[in-house]
Amino acid sequence: MSISIDGKVHKGVLRVKYGEAFPVAKRSIELNNEDYGRVLVYILSLEQPRWTEKFAVEIPFRYYITDIILPNEKYLQNKRKSKLKVIK
């Protein structure tokens, strides 16, 4: 079992093309997250896959973030803002 860095369960959609391996629940994979950047996630559950028109499948899934591999600028700016202290 892994530990979430932000304490939230996230929802997402994986797009798997023809010939690629399907993701497996209860395993970790790397993903791009718009809030954090390149992250390592732990997949909690997979839902029913849906076919698309271009030989691909969209799989809704639930996951939590266990580690940040490469932070993006948005995450770094929020981190800098949180370290600021108000002096009265």
Side-chain angles (χ1 to χ4, degrees), residues 12-17 19-31 41-47 49 57-63:
V13 176
L14 287 173
R15 188 174 177 91
V16 179
K17 294 181 182 178
E20 292 180 353
F22 267 67
V24 180
K26 311 288 187 205
R27 301 254 173 106
S28 295
I29 61 170
E30 287 185 23
L31 286 179
V41 301
Y42 182 79
I43 298 175
L44 295 172
S45 65
L46 298 169
E47 297 178 12
V57 176
E58 291 181 345
I59 306 170
F61 71 111
R62 294 177 184 263
Y63 66 95

